[in-house]
């Protein structure tokens, strides 16, 4: 088994964030949002979660991207939604298996949720071939999981077609092998990397390593 590759909340002033914003052609400044996960333990269903919270507490849903970084390997933007109160406070309601204090959120007001997820926007931070291949296979995984009628399916995808089942097995095998290679590249974090608590601060000024 490979260790799960769990990106961290990036440092807002870091060069990887600036490079990703440039790739996204965004001039909007991201900001940190405090995490207050719902108690339903529903992962990656932020849009219906926020809509339900709006019905119960007022406020509005803000669409955009949460930014995540695997230091020295890659940074990515994940299609996401947060809650904004009538007073202008923000909350991230999404449950995650790995506890984090804050997410780094980039709002994009013209971004519409149409009932399906969008692919992550990914940027390698190294020339290592395995990292580039891993990100390409993650793009392939998104395309496969959202192919045809599966685009509007939430939760676990059930595959019955023998050819697609074989394709899926090959896809998972490729991710497994590349995951092994990436785990070899993950270096121990230093005090100048994002803190593992998810504060968005460098560890030096947070939970020192």
């Amino acid at each position: 088994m490979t260790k799960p590759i769990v990106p961290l909340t990036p440092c807002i002033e870091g060069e990887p964030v600036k490079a990703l914003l440039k790739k996204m052609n965004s001039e909007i400044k991201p900001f940190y949002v405090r995490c207050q996960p719902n108690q339903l333990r529903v992962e990656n269903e932020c849009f219906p979660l926020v809509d339900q919270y709006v019905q119960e507490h007022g406020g509005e849903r803000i669409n955009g991207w949460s930014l995540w970084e695997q230091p020295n390997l890659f940074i990515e933007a994940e299609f996401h939604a947060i809650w904004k109160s009538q007073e202008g406070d923000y909350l991230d309601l999404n449950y995650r298996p790995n506890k984090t204090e804050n997410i780094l959120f980039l709002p994009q007001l013209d971004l519409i949720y149409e009932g399906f997820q969008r692919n992550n926007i990914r940027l390698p931070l190294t020339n290592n071939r395995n990292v580039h291949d891993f990100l390409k296979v993650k793009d392939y995984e998104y395309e496969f999981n959202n192919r045809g009628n599966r685009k509007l399916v939430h939760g676990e995808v059930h595959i019955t077609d023998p050819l697609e089942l074989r394709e899926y097995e090959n896809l998972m095998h490729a991710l497994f092998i590349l995951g092994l290679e990436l785990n070899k590249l993950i270096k121990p974090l230093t005090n100048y990397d994002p803190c593992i608590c998810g504060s968005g601060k460098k560890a030096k000024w947070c939970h020192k390593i």
Side-chain angles (χ1 to χ4, degrees):
M1 294 292 291
T2 62
K3 295 181 294 183
I5 297 172
V6 183
L8 304 174
T9 301
C11 298
I12 194 169
E13 74 277 7
E15 291 302 320
V17 170
K18 296 176 184 177
L20 183 60
L21 294 180
K22 182 177 180 180
K23 178 177 180 177
M24 298 173 69
N25 295 316
S26 176
E27 297 181 354
I28 300 174
K29 186 175 181 179
F31 54 89
Y32 292 113
V33 178
R34 180 169 61 90
C35 296
Q36 182 177 299
N38 75 305
Q39 302 304 311
L40 300 177
R41 299 179 67 84
V42 179
E43 188 177 358
N44 294 330
E45 293 292 348
C46 56
F47 295 94
L49 281 176
V50 173
D51 288 345
Q52 180 180 344
Y53 203 81
V54 169
Q55 290 181 0
E56 296 171 353
H57 303 277
E60 61 178 314
R61 165 162 47 93
I62 304 297
N63 296 341
W65 307 87
S66 55
L67 309 185
W68 304 99
E69 179 183 357
Q70 184 62 62
N72 305 307
L73 297 185
F74 62 87
I75 187 169
E76 60 185 339
E78 177 185 26
F79 188 36
H80 194 57
I82 60 172
W83 175 73
K84 181 181 179 181
S85 73
Q86 294 177 346
E87 294 74 30
D89 299 319
Y90 297 93
L91 279 180
D92 173 46
L93 303 173
N94 195 43
Y95 167 78
R96 294 181 181 84
N98 298 282
K99 184 179 179 181
T100 186
E101 291 185 7
N102 301 307
I103 65 167
L104 184 58
F105 184 75
L106 176 68
Q108 185 176 336
L109 300 182
D110 63 345
L111 199 57
I112 300 174
Y113 176 63
E114 300 176 292
F116 54 87
Q117 186 58 272
R118 296 173 184 262
N119 194 12
N120 289 14
I121 300 172
R122 303 178 174 93
L123 180 68
L125 302 176
T126 172
N127 291 325
N128 186 282
R129 180 175 178 179
N130 287 320
V131 173
H132 285 252
D133 288 346
F134 176 79
L135 298 183
K136 289 178 181 178
V137 175
K138 292 299 290 183
D139 287 338
Y140 175 29
E141 180 187 30
Y142 170 83
E143 184 277 325
F144 181 90
N145 287 334
N146 291 274
R147 187 182 298 167
N149 293 332
R150 289 196 293 268
K151 188 173 186 178
L152 296 175
V153 175
H154 293 258
E156 186 178 355
V157 174
H158 297 281
I159 304 167
T160 57
D161 181 87
L163 292 178
E164 283 204 324
L165 186 59
R166 174 63 62 88
E167 182 182 0
Y168 180 75
E169 291 172 349
N170 291 338
L171 170 59
M172 291 298 101
H173 180 70
L175 282 175
F176 175 79
I177 297 300
L178 289 167
L180 288 175
E181 296 301 321
L182 258 65
N183 273 308
K184 296 177 185 178
L185 299 173
I186 297 176
K187 300 177 182 178
L189 297 175
T190 72
N191 279 324
Y192 293 93
D193 287 317
C195 187
I196 59 173
C197 76
S199 66
K201 301 177 183 178
K202 292 184 178 180
K204 180 178 181 180
W205 292 284
C206 199
H207 296 83
K208 292 186 177 180
I209 297 174

